[in-house]
């Protein structure tokens, strides 16, 4: 019996396991109820009484050694970084998850690209603005009712600091610094103190365009608007201008396009009129030019401004404005293939 014990002791010294299955096989071989050590334990009962003491000690030693060895092998396996068994290097790699552009970014880019092709360049300004650039320079008199048109987020009073309510503030910033000719397009985020619903949000995005030069006329504006509408919504798109009012333009207009959802026939989206409003525009008011140090007797210009969300709704039929800022990947993934 002592020989068997010694043999098992040296066997155990030698054992190796390269994976958990091999380890389990070893445990079964040595330590299970029918394993080699249990068999010896059974034989132990028949050993002569005088040998029991020594053999008993050796058997216990064997059992402990086997248990220690199995534990040691287990620990080694768990800590090992060996790639050999745990990772199959021949397996095809997981596909790389690519992000996609946000629909508002896609549409902003498309609008800007159209204007860039007409020679406009991008201008940007701060979102935290002063009263002068958002209101006063743009011909909103202190007690002008037009100031009520926009619910403003005020950051500080006297001097007034606000979150800009429109990107028209960038017009002023550029005109103050740059001599005409000016041909800019200003994309950006704007803020208004509105209750959030499917059709209004407290922040949204606009693109503003401004062209100042000698002899710029309303006809130039109309031509650019028609070009933009056809590029953005397709060659069949028609436009119409309705007289409107903005403090910073005179005359002012709002532009509708033929509804690109029903093709002008009338549908719930265009409220059965066949037309949808997409932007405001007009000839820059001479007061605004003078406020920015531009001689209104020499120069004229036009301006226009549109909401990117509105254009995106028309293009992609997003019914709830809130989806643009919820970061729901199920929504965002739908734009993966958009250019
Ligand atoms: N700033 C206007 C708004 O936020 C939009 C606008 C209207 C911009 C007419 C213009 C313009 O440049 O000429 O509602």
């Amino acid at each position: 019996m002592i020989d068997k014990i010694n043999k098992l002791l040296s066997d155990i010294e030698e054992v190796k396991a390269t994976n958990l299955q091999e380890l389990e096989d070893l445990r079964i071989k040595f330590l299970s109820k029918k394993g080699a050590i249990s068999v010896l334990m059974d034989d132990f009962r028949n050993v002569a009484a005088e040998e029991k003491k020594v053999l008993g000690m050796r058997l216990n030693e064997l059992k402990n050694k086997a248990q220690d060895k199995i534990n040691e092998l287990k620990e080694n396996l768990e800590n090992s970084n060996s790639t050999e068994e745990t990772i199959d290097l021949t397996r095809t790699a997981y596909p790389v998850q690519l992000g996609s552009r946000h629909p508002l970014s896609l549409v902003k880019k498309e609008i800007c690209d159209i204007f860039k092709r007409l020679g406009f360049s991008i201008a940007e300004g701060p979102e935290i603005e002063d009263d002068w650039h958002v209101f006063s320079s743009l011909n909103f008199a202190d007690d002008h009712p037009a100031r009520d048109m926009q619910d403003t987020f005020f950051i500080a009073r006297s001097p007034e600091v606000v979150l800009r309510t429109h990107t028209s503030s960038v017009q002023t910033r550029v005109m103050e610094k740059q001599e005409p000719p000016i041909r800019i397009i200003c994309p950006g985020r704007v803020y208004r103190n509105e209750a959030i619903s499917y059709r209004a949000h407290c922040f949204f995005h606009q693109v503003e365009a401004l062209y100042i030069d000698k002899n710029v006329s309303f006809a130039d504006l109309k031509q650019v608007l028609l070009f933009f509408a056809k590029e953005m919504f397709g060659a069949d798109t028609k436009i119409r201008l309705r007289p409107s009012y903005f403090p910073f333009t005179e005359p002012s207009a709002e532009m509708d396009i033929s509804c690109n959802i029903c093709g002008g026939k009338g549908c719930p989206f265009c409220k059965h009129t066949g037309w949808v409003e997409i932007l405001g525009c007009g000839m820059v008011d001479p007061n605004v030019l003078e406020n920015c140090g531009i001689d209104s007797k020499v120069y004229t210009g036009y301006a226009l401004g549109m909401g990117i969300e509105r254009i995106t709704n028309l293009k992609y039929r997003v019914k709830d404005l809130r989806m643009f800022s919820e970061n729901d990947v199920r929504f965002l993934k739908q734009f993966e293939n958009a250019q």
Side-chain angles (χ1 to χ4, degrees):
M1 180 156 204
I2 190 79
D3 291 344
K4 283 187 187 165
I5 294 176
N6 286 340
K7 168 88 175 52
L8 281 178
L9 269 171
S10 69
D11 282 357
I12 280 168
E13 206 55 61
E14 303 284 297
V15 294
K16 285 194 176 65
T18 50
N19 60 39
L20 289 173
Q21 185 55 51
E22 283 179 25
L23 184 69
E24 179 62 5
D25 292 345
L26 285 177
R27 192 194 63 78
I28 292 168
K29 182 173 169 198
F30 290 104
L31 290 170
S32 69
K33 274 190 188 146
K34 291 196 178 139
I37 295 175
S38 302
V39 172
L40 281 185
M41 292 282 191
D42 288 343
D43 293 350
F44 181 71
R45 280 192 224 118
N46 307 324
V47 166
E50 63 274 16
E51 286 180 50
K52 269 206 160 125
K53 192 172 172 203
V54 178
L55 279 178
M57 271 165 55
R58 292 294 278 168
L59 256 180
N60 271 339
E61 196 185 321
L62 172 64
K63 200 175 160 194
N64 292 340
K65 183 114 196 164
Q67 190 62 59
D68 288 352
K69 186 73 185 182
I70 300 269
N71 290 347
E72 179 193 318
L73 288 174
K74 188 166 179 222
E75 207 166 298
N76 285 350
L77 273 182
E78 280 168 359
N79 294 340
S80 99
N81 290 327
S82 150
T83 53
E84 285 165 36
E85 294 297 325
T86 46
I87 298 178
D88 177 0
L89 293 177
T90 62
R91 208 175 65 185
T92 320
Y94 286 115
V96 177
Q97 291 269 347
L98 274 186
S100 55
R101 282 184 201 274
H102 192 282
L104 293 177
S105 304
L106 288 168
V107 172
K108 176 178 88 175
K109 182 172 182 302
E110 204 177 335
I111 298 170
C112 290
D113 285 349
I114 294 170
F115 279 93
K116 277 192 205 161
R117 291 205 288 281
L118 291 170
F120 286 73
S121 49
I122 307 268
E124 281 178 338
E127 291 177 17
I128 298 175
E129 265 292 8
D130 49 38
D131 172 89
W132 170 253
H133 290 96
V134 180
F135 295 122
S136 300
S137 65
L138 292 166
N139 211 26
F140 290 76
D142 279 348
D143 57 351
H144 199 297
R147 279 184 193 253
D148 295 338
M149 277 163 52
Q150 294 162 345
D151 293 318
T152 309
F153 283 117
F154 288 89
I155 290 179
R157 293 257 181 209
S158 66
E160 260 162 15
V161 180
V162 300
L163 292 179
R164 69 179 177 194
T165 56
H166 54 181
T167 42
S168 305
S169 54
V170 186
Q171 290 186 16
T172 309
R173 291 215 167 255
V174 172
M175 285 192 281
E176 281 172 341
K177 281 212 198 84
Q178 193 183 320
E179 300 221 332
I182 295 171
R183 202 172 347 192
I184 51 159
I185 174 124
C186 328
R189 181 172 289 179
V190 300
Y191 301 82
R192 287 186 201 175
N193 191 2
E194 305 235 18
I196 297 170
S197 73
Y198 75 96
R199 50 197 291 261
H201 213 296
C202 58
F203 65 83
F204 54 99
H205 302 79
Q206 289 186 333
V207 174
E208 185 88 10
L210 176 73
Y211 180 33
I212 311 281
D213 204 346
K214 289 177 182 154
N215 298 322
V216 179
S217 72
F218 202 93
D220 297 322
L221 168 62
K222 220 174 145 184
Q223 205 52 45
V224 162
L225 291 173
L226 183 62
F227 177 80
F228 168 74
K230 284 177 184 287
E231 289 289 296
M232 192 75 204
F233 297 104
D236 296 337
T237 311
K238 295 185 187 60
I239 63 167
R240 78 175 183 189
L241 292 171
R242 283 177 292 102
S244 184
Y245 173 75
F246 300 101
F248 36 91
T249 43
E250 182 57 36
S252 305
E254 273 167 329
M255 181 177 96
D256 299 341
I257 58 163
S258 48
C259 178
N260 76 330
I261 290 175
C262 61
K265 288 191 199 77
C267 68
F269 189 86
C270 60
K271 300 196 186 84
H272 302 282
T273 62
W275 297 95
V276 284
E277 184 203 318
I278 63 161
L279 55 79
C281 59
M283 300 305 291
V284 178
D285 193 297
N287 288 341
V288 175
L289 295 175
E290 297 294 336
N291 283 342
C292 300
I294 291 174
D295 188 344
S296 63
K297 294 197 184 63
V298 181
Y299 293 104
T300 51
Y302 63 73
L304 60 102
M306 69 189 101
I308 302 181
E309 277 81 353
R310 177 115 184 108
I311 308 282
T312 311
N313 282 351
L314 270 168
K315 235 183 131 75
Y316 295 113
R317 329 240 159 118
V318 180
K319 293 210 180 73
D320 188 333
L321 263 183
R322 292 169 290 197
M323 298 184 88
F324 290 128
S325 50
E326 276 169 354
N327 282 336
D328 185 334
V329 283
R330 290 168 301 181
F331 170 67
L332 297 174
K333 266 182 174 293
Q334 295 174 39
F335 299 89
E336 261 172 0
N337 297 320
Q339 294 295 317

